[in-house]
Each structure stands twice: as structure tokens, then as C-alpha cells.
């Protein structure tokens, strides 16, 4: 793929106050602190493999002061356009910067917010972003995990002893970070986490043909080319079809055929009822053919898109029939639980009232007894004459 020229991108001038504010942080995102990791895109040449090598983006880092690349977003907060590809590269470079985002932490969740915020500030030094900081952090976390996985596969998974692995520090990494990562990967907790990850990966029956380009960018490019919106079913077809027009796997071909049948069926029903809505039809097709997606995710939309953000308040209507039935059962049980709690609280209140009444009666009797005792003390009974 040819390197993109900076002149092809949208460049904007930012106010001087913003430029000074963002330059107060630590610099060096594109510096030599970024590990020279080899990209996964490789081409065989005889018995040798030629790697793309390190991303430099010298044109971006040579922008005059005050100029930045403007990155637009779609309706659900994902970056689009050619500028989004450059942003993705810089996010990847930043994620590999061990000075900003050390690999010694067990997970992205444990990475301090201070480090994440510094990384975001670095990126903003070269970009004027319409996407949120949360999106940038989400993308950084994905690239950071990918970077750790790459290092683990290349420098850790071998026949070396534990001590030898600790000495096998990858270029550009700080030794203490690498040693901490090796200790974790060698621990019981690290091995269990890898086992879960491998099992989860094996459940994936097919991949996609999008490569490094996001689904959001592909959909945006298709919409600009065709002049019409791209639905989720069409996007699935585009991202699971090879250049020769065939499906990427037999499983993907079967799914696309089922989607086509379902779409025809739903369109006929909607046309009869006079309630045709292409987005609703696509959503229902995806739900019925692919079933429920991972929690908090929307199928065929890429990362950072949640059901609430995409569907709005009516997200439950696009659940598959079985899931909708299960959801109804959950709602019924929740109502029963709420009613049961109310009954328990009412009984508890009634018991407390009875207990208070008994306590008051006991106090009343005790007071009367004390009064009688006081009377006897003041007027003790006299002995009868003998």
C-alpha cells in the first residue's frame, strides 16, 4: 500500500492557546522510544520475509506549529476518512511507547489514568479530533494489548528457560518492564488468562477481509461512492468477501445466504404491513441470523459502538426471538423479586410495630409495678395487734 501524502489530508490551524496548552506535556510519541516492532504485514521473497518495518510519519511530525490533521467522526463516534487511517497509525505508535504506556501492567484496566491521559495529549499534539477522548483511550487499549501479544509470541514463546527469557529483552523496551511481563506470563494467573483467550479465539468461525481499515471507514467510503447509506447486512457482505467475489470462508458464505433469504422475507412482510424501514430490517436480520452479540457490542459495526448508542432506547427489539423470550423471563422474575421484597419489608414493618407495642406494654406494666413499690415504701403495712 503506497504511503499517504500529507497533502491528501485535511489540515487545520488551531488557536495559539490550544497549541501552547497541548505542548506542555511530555513529548516523544514519534521518537526513538517507540519500539521498532515488526508489523504483521509481510511478503515472502524466496526464503526470506520482507517486513514493512517501523512507522515513522515524518511528514506528520514536521507539520508547522499550530497545524493539525483534522479527523471527522460518524454518527456513533468513530473516526472516518483518510485521516482516520493516519490517526490509527499514531495510536499504534503511541501504544508501543513504553515510556508512556508500560507493558509491565497486567491489563489495560490497571494502567494508571495519568498514563492514559498523557498518551491522549500526545496524540492531540498532531490532530484536531472530533472523536472523544474515550474513543482514543479505547483504541489505545486495543493497540497496547496487540503490542503485548506480538512481543509475547516473538520473544517469550520459545524453548528458553525463564532466566534466558528475561534476558531476551526486545529492542526498544526497558528491561524492568520486560521482566515484569515475563514473570506474569509465566505465573499461574498469566497462563490461565492465556488459556481463556485461546478458547475464546477458537470459537470465532470466520474473520473479515477489512484488514487494518475499520468498518466505519469502509462504510463511509462505500456511502460516498454509492450516494446511499450502507446497512449492517451490506457491510457484513463487503467485509467478508474477497477480491475475487467469493466469501472468505464457507461459514461466511452460509451466513450471507441466510441473511439474503431473511432480508427478502422481512422486506415482503414490511411491505405488506406498510412499515418498511431498511435499518430496522437489517437489524432484525442480523439479530435472527447471527444471534446475540457480545455484551455491550453491536455486530458489524466495529469497536466503540454500544447497543444504546446505536439503537437508542429501543435496543431490545433487535434481540433474536430466543433472547427476547429470555429477556421477558428476566423481566418477569425481576418483577416477582421486587414484589417479594415489598412483601418482606411490609411483614418486617408489621413485626417491628408489634414488637414496639409489646415493648410499650411491658414498660407500662413495669412503671405501674414501680409505682406500687414506691407506695408500699411510703406506707408500709402495719402488723395487727397481738
Amino acid at each position: 500500500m503506497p504511503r499517504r501524502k500529507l497533502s491528501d489530508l485535511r489540515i487545520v490551524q488551531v488557536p495559539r492557546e490550544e497549541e501552547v496548552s497541548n505542548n506542555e506535556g511530555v513529548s516523544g510519541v514519534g521518537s526513538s522510544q517507540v519500539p521498532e516492532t515488526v508489523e504483521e504485514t509481510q511478503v515472502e521473497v524466496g526464503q526470506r520475509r520482507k517486513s514493512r518495518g517501523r512507522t515513522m510519519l515524518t511528514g506528520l511530525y514536521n507539520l508547522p506549529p499550530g497545524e493539525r490533521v483534522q479527523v471527522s467522526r460518524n454518527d456513533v463516534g468513530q473516526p472516518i476518512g483518510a485521516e482516520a487511517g493516519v490517526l490509527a497509525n499514531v495510536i499504534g505508535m503511541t501504544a508501543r511507547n513504553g515510556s508512556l504506556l508500560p507493558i509491565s501492567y497486567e491489563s489495560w484496566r490497571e494502567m494508571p489514568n495519568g498514563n492514559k491521559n498523557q498518551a491522549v495529549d500526545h496524540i492531540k499534539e498532531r490532530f484536531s479530533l472530533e472523536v472523544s477522548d474515550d474513543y482514543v483511550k479505547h483504541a489505545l487499549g486495543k493497540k497496547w494489548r496487540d503490542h503485548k501479544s506480538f512481543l509475547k509470541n516473538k520473544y517469550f514463546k520459545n524453548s528458553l528457560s525463564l532466566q534466558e527469557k528475561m534476558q531476551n529483552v526486545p529492542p526498544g523496551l526497558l528491561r524492568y518492564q520486560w521482566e515484569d511481563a515475563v514473570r506474569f506470563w509465566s505465573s499461574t494467573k498469566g497462563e490461565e488468562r492465556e488459556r481463556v483467550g485461546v478458547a475464546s479465539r477458537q470459537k470465532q468461525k470466520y474473520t473479515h477481509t477489512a484488514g487494518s481499515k475499520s468498518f466505519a471507514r469502509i462504510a463511509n467510503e462505500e456511502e460516498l461512492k454509492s450516494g446511499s447509506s450502507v446497512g449492517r447486512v451490506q457491510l457484513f457482505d463487503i467485509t467478508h468477501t474477497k477480491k475475487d467475489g467469493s466469501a472468505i470462508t464457507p461459514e461466511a458464505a452460509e451466513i450471507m445466504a441466510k441473511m439474503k433469504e431473511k432480508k427478502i422475507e422481512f422486506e415482503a412482510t414490511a411491505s405488506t404491513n406498510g412499515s418498511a424501514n431498511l435499518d430496522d430490517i437489517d437489524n432484525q436480520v442480523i439479530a435472527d441470523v447471527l444471534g446475540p452479540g457480545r455484551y455491550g457490542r453491536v455486530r458489524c459495526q466495529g469497536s466503540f459502538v454500544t447497543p444504546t448508542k446505536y439503537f437508542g432506547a429501543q435496543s431490545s427489539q433487535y434481540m433474536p426471538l430466543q433472547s427476547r423470550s429470555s429477556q421477558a423471563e428476566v423481566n418477569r422474575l425481576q418483577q416477582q423479586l421486587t414484589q417479594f421484597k415489598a412483601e418482606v419489608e411490609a411483614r418486617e414493618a408489621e413485626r417491628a410495630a408489634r414488637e414496639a407495642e409489646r415493648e410499650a406494654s411491658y414498660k407500662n406494666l413495669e412503671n405501674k409495678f414501680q409505682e406500687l413499690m414506691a407506695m408500699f415504701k411510703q406506707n408500709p403495712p402495719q402488723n395487727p395487734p397481738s
Side-chain angles (χ1 to χ4, degrees):
M1 177 180 176
R3 294 184 183 274
R4 184 171 298 279
K5 296 180 181 179
L6 207 62
S7 58
D8 298 334
L9 307 177
R10 287 182 301 167
I11 308 296
V12 296
Q13 189 80 28
V14 299
R16 179 173 177 79
E17 305 79 36
E18 186 178 347
E19 177 70 20
V20 172
S21 174
N22 281 341
N23 283 336
E24 289 177 352
V26 182
S27 61
V29 177
S31 69
S32 60
Q33 293 173 341
V34 182
E36 296 190 24
T37 54
V38 181
E39 299 292 335
E40 294 185 22
T41 304
Q42 298 176 333
V43 180
E44 288 193 12
V45 181
Q47 298 298 319
R48 300 176 61 187
R49 285 181 177 269
K50 183 179 179 181
S51 302
R52 180 172 68 83
R54 182 178 171 187
T55 302
M56 299 299 293
L57 297 176
T58 53
L60 179 68
Y61 287 95
N62 288 331
L63 278 175
E67 290 190 0
R68 293 183 190 161
V69 176
Q70 185 175 25
V71 182
S72 301
R73 47 157 282 177
N74 60 14
D75 293 339
V76 289
Q78 298 168 304
I80 54 176
E83 297 80 10
V86 180
L87 173 64
N89 283 335
V90 173
I91 287 175
M93 294 169 63
T94 308
R96 297 191 296 272
N97 187 335
S99 298
L100 286 174
L101 303 173
I103 68 165
S104 48
Y105 292 98
E106 294 181 7
S107 68
W108 180 250
R109 190 174 300 168
E110 295 182 5
M111 180 75 67
N113 286 328
N115 293 67
K116 295 177 183 179
N117 292 334
Q118 274 194 331
V120 172
D121 289 341
H122 275 302
I123 293 169
K124 286 183 173 180
E125 289 179 5
R126 295 293 178 261
F127 293 92
S128 176
L129 301 175
E130 292 183 9
V131 297
S132 66
D133 288 359
D134 286 341
Y135 171 83
V136 177
K137 290 178 183 179
H138 177 88
L140 280 169
K142 172 67 167 59
K143 293 290 188 179
W144 181 80
R145 289 188 293 270
D146 290 346
H147 175 50
K148 286 189 67 174
S149 177
F150 173 85
L151 295 175
K152 182 178 182 181
N153 288 327
K154 184 169 184 180
Y155 296 97
F156 175 79
K157 288 189 174 182
N158 49 48
S159 58
L160 298 177
S161 67
L162 179 59
Q163 192 60 36
E164 289 172 331
K165 288 177 179 178
M166 287 189 176
Q167 298 297 324
N168 189 28
V169 182
L173 276 187
L174 296 175
R175 177 175 293 277
Y176 84 90
Q177 291 185 21
W178 174 249
E179 290 178 350
D180 286 347
V182 169
R183 289 190 190 95
F184 174 71
W185 291 332
S186 303
S187 68
T188 302
K189 183 178 179 181
E191 291 174 351
E192 175 62 18
R193 183 172 297 179
E194 180 180 19
R195 185 192 66 77
V196 172
V198 170
S200 177
R201 180 67 178 177
Q202 289 174 344
K203 293 179 182 178
Q204 186 174 349
K205 297 180 180 179
Y206 52 86
T207 183
H208 56 74
T209 58
S212 60
K213 186 178 292 187
S214 69
F215 280 26
R217 289 181 62 199
I218 291 174
N220 176 251
E221 290 174 3
E222 184 64 26
E223 288 172 354
L224 293 175
K225 184 166 55 178
S226 65
S228 58
S229 62
V230 175
R232 295 170 70 199
V233 172
Q234 182 183 356
L235 187 57
F236 184 93
D237 289 348
I238 294 173
T239 55
H240 293 80
T241 302
K242 295 188 288 188
K243 291 182 179 180
D244 61 5
S246 62
I248 189 169
T249 63
E251 291 83 0
E254 183 180 353
I255 288 172
M256 286 189 277
K258 287 181 180 179
M259 285 185 178
K260 186 177 180 179
E261 294 175 2
K262 281 286 185 182
K263 188 163 186 176
I264 293 173
E265 175 187 336
F266 288 142
E267 284 177 346
T269 303
S271 179
T272 302
N273 297 337
S275 59
N277 183 301
L278 295 180
D279 287 339
D280 288 345
I281 290 172
D282 272 14
N283 293 333
Q284 197 59 66
V285 169
I286 294 289
D288 282 11
V289 175
L290 296 181
R294 290 170 54 189
Y295 178 78
R297 299 286 296 274
V298 179
R299 290 186 183 275
C300 308
Q301 284 299 300
S303 61
F304 198 68
V305 181
T306 63
T308 302
K309 186 182 296 184
Y310 187 80
F311 299 118
Q314 305 300 320
S315 59
S316 62
Q317 68 176 301
Y318 301 118
M319 294 179 179
L321 295 177
Q322 183 178 359
S323 294
R324 277 180 275 167
S325 176
S326 299
Q327 184 65 38
E329 178 66 12
V330 169
N331 293 338
R332 186 184 66 81
L333 292 174
Q334 285 179 336
Q335 290 177 355
Q336 289 184 352
L337 180 60
T338 301
Q339 184 178 355
F340 176 74
K341 286 182 177 179
E343 291 175 355
V344 169
E345 289 174 357
R347 286 197 295 268
E348 182 66 22
E350 185 179 348
R351 186 197 64 79
R354 288 198 303 267
E355 184 67 26
E357 186 178 352
R358 284 195 296 266
E359 182 70 17
S361 298
Y362 174 79
K363 288 289 185 184
N364 187 39
L365 289 174
E366 187 177 32
N367 290 337
K368 288 183 178 181
F369 177 77
Q370 293 296 336
E371 290 175 1
L372 288 173
M373 291 299 296
M375 289 175 59
F376 276 116
K377 287 182 179 179
Q378 292 176 1
N379 302 297
Q382 298 181 357
N383 295 327
S386 57

